[in-house]
């Protein structure tokens, strides 16, 4: 495979001076000498004018001579090259690509909607110009393919209650997933001379047909976790209450009364609503 060749053409300002000298000198010769021979010099100067080349910062020009690769001009400035060169412009600036939202299946087979944000730039102009048909379209297609592959490698979320406990998930492992995505895309775009600066997930959600079901599942999981925490706190508070009553000998409770007190405290502490107090004006036995 032929590699990129960096060249620095002739100074454009010097050739511009020669062009002005030849062109206007030919006009002056025709007017003064009354002859047609200076016309040939004028035609030559016009041909030379096609060789002027301007390269902007972070820009490049790929030069071809009748289909043969001559070199690439990357240094910005005003130059002059062979007028018969074909000049192909390729930008070296960083570009953003926000892919479309793709519907893919994760590792567990759940349909998810996912998109990626890619920051890239051309590093090798020869590969970008000649190793692929259209490097910008190549970036789009290969990015979509990489996202599809990545989504199938990891689950959307952990489902520990179903025996599925993954270290890396699409939702929670942002850094790990982004690094894997960047590596995957970089391997695919190397053939086109593209450098990947950054790649990350731009959008991630369950597909519409299971979004409501998964939302209810997440809500149920959150409720169960909250109830579990409430019960743990209630049990510790009941234990503390019984211990302090025994230490301070406020009241002597037998096992049956302890069970009744524990039951009442658990109902009060774990209930969804505030408890309504009931005053007992009798004895402890009634």
């Amino acid at each position: 495979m032929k590699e990129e060749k960096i060249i620095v053409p002739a100074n454009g300002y010097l050739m511009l001076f020669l062009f002005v000298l030849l062109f206007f000198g030919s006009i002056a010769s025709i007017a003064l000498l009354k002859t047609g021979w200076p016309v040939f010099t004028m035609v030559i100067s016009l041909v030379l004018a096609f060789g002027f080349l301007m390269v902007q910062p972070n820009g490049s020009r790929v030069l071809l001579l009748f289909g043969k690769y001559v070199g690439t001009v990357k240094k910005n400035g005003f130059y002059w090259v062979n007028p018969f060169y074909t000049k192909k412009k390729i930008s070296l600036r960083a570009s953003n690509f926000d892919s479309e939202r793709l519907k893919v299946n994760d590792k567990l087979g759940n349909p998810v909607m996912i998109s990626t944000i890619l920051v890239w730039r051309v590093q090798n102009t020869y590969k970008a110009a000649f190793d692929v048909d259209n490097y910008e379209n190549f970036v789009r297609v290969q990015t979509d393919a990489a996202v599809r592959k990545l989504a199938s490698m990891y689950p959307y979320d952990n489902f520990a209650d179903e025996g599925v406990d993954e270290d890396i998930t699409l939702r929670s492992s942002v850094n790990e997933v982004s690094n894997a995505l960047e590596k995957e895309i970089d391997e695919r775009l190397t053939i086109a001379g593209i450098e990947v600066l950054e790649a990350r997930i731009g959008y991630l959600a369950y597909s519409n047909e299971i979004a409501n079901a998964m939302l209810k599942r997440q809500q149920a999981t959150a409720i169960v976790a909250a109830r579990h925490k409430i019960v743990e706190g209630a049990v510790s508070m009941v234990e503390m209450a019984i211990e302090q009553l025994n230490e301070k000998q406020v009241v002597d409770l037998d096992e049956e009364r302890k069970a009744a007190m524990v039951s009442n405290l658990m109902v009060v502490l774990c209930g969804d609503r505030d408890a309504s107090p009931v005053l007992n004006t009798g004895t402890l036995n009634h």
Side-chain angles (χ1 to χ4, degrees):
M1 181 181 297
K2 194 170 183 179
E3 293 297 330
E4 180 184 58
K5 179 182 177 182
I6 307 299
I7 63 173
V8 179
N11 190 297
Y13 296 102
L14 178 60
M15 295 303 299
L16 180 61
F17 174 76
L18 294 178
F19 165 76
V20 173
L21 185 63
L22 287 175
F23 184 77
F24 290 101
S26 300
I27 295 177
S29 298
I30 294 174
L32 296 175
L33 301 178
K34 306 297 183 180
T35 180
W37 289 105
V39 174
F40 295 100
T41 308
M42 183 184 300
V43 172
I44 293 175
S45 65
L46 292 176
V47 173
L48 294 177
F50 288 97
F52 290 113
L53 175 68
M54 183 179 295
V55 180
Q56 298 179 354
N58 287 326
S60 68
R61 292 294 182 91
V62 177
L63 305 179
L64 300 174
L65 180 60
F66 302 117
K68 181 181 179 181
Y69 174 68
V70 176
T72 302
V73 182
K74 286 187 175 181
K75 186 177 180 181
N76 61 296
F78 183 58
Y79 304 102
W80 183 87
V81 296
N82 190 328
F84 297 100
Y85 282 173
T86 301
K87 312 171 190 69
K88 185 174 182 178
K89 184 178 181 181
I90 295 181
S91 175
L92 303 180
R93 298 181 178 92
S95 300
N96 284 320
F97 170 61
D98 189 1
S99 68
E100 297 181 357
R101 295 178 181 179
L102 304 175
K103 183 179 179 181
V104 297
N105 293 330
D106 67 354
K107 186 178 180 179
L108 302 179
N110 297 320
V112 297
M113 301 298 295
I114 187 172
S115 69
T116 183
I117 297 176
L118 177 66
V119 182
W120 60 277
R121 67 183 176 189
V122 176
Q123 187 178 36
N124 189 310
T125 57
Y126 179 86
K127 292 182 178 180
F130 306 115
D131 285 357
V132 293
D133 184 35
N134 186 324
Y135 67 91
E136 293 182 346
N137 183 65
F138 187 82
V139 170
R140 289 191 292 269
V141 174
Q142 293 301 321
T143 299
D144 290 345
V147 171
R148 291 181 181 276
K149 180 180 178 181
L150 180 81
S152 65
M153 294 171 58
Y154 305 107
Y156 179 91
D157 203 354
N158 273 322
F159 298 101
D161 55 341
E162 297 181 0
V164 181
D165 190 8
E166 296 284 344
D167 294 332
I168 300 178
T169 62
L170 296 175
R171 184 184 65 85
S172 60
S173 305
V174 179
N175 293 332
E176 291 81 357
V177 172
S178 297
N179 292 335
L181 178 62
E182 183 175 334
K183 182 178 179 182
E184 179 68 24
I185 297 177
D186 186 66
E187 292 177 355
R188 292 172 177 267
L189 299 185
T190 300
I191 187 177
I194 304 297
E195 178 186 8
V196 177
L197 302 178
E198 182 185 6
R200 56 187 175 87
I201 301 298
Y203 178 85
L204 179 65
Y206 280 113
S207 184
N208 293 332
E209 57 264 29
I210 66 169
N212 291 332
M214 288 300 179
L215 179 59
K216 292 180 180 179
R217 190 185 189 283
Q218 292 175 354
Q219 291 174 343
T221 303
I223 292 174
V224 170
R227 289 291 184 183
H228 185 268
K229 203 69 177 178
I230 291 174
V231 170
E232 287 183 353
V235 170
S236 64
M237 292 176 68
V238 170
E239 291 178 350
M240 181 179 63
I242 294 176
E243 291 177 359
Q244 291 186 3
L245 288 174
N246 292 332
E247 290 177 0
K248 297 181 180 181
Q249 297 181 355
V250 176
V251 62
D252 187 14
L253 300 176
D254 56 17
E255 295 300 325
E256 182 178 354
R257 291 171 180 170
K258 285 182 180 180
M261 186 185 71
V262 169
S263 176
N264 292 334
L265 287 176
M266 291 298 293
V267 171
V268 172
L269 295 174
C270 297
D272 291 333
R273 299 178 180 178
D274 295 336
S276 298
V278 177
L279 297 179
N280 185 4
T281 58
T283 63
L284 293 175
N285 297 325
H286 296 88

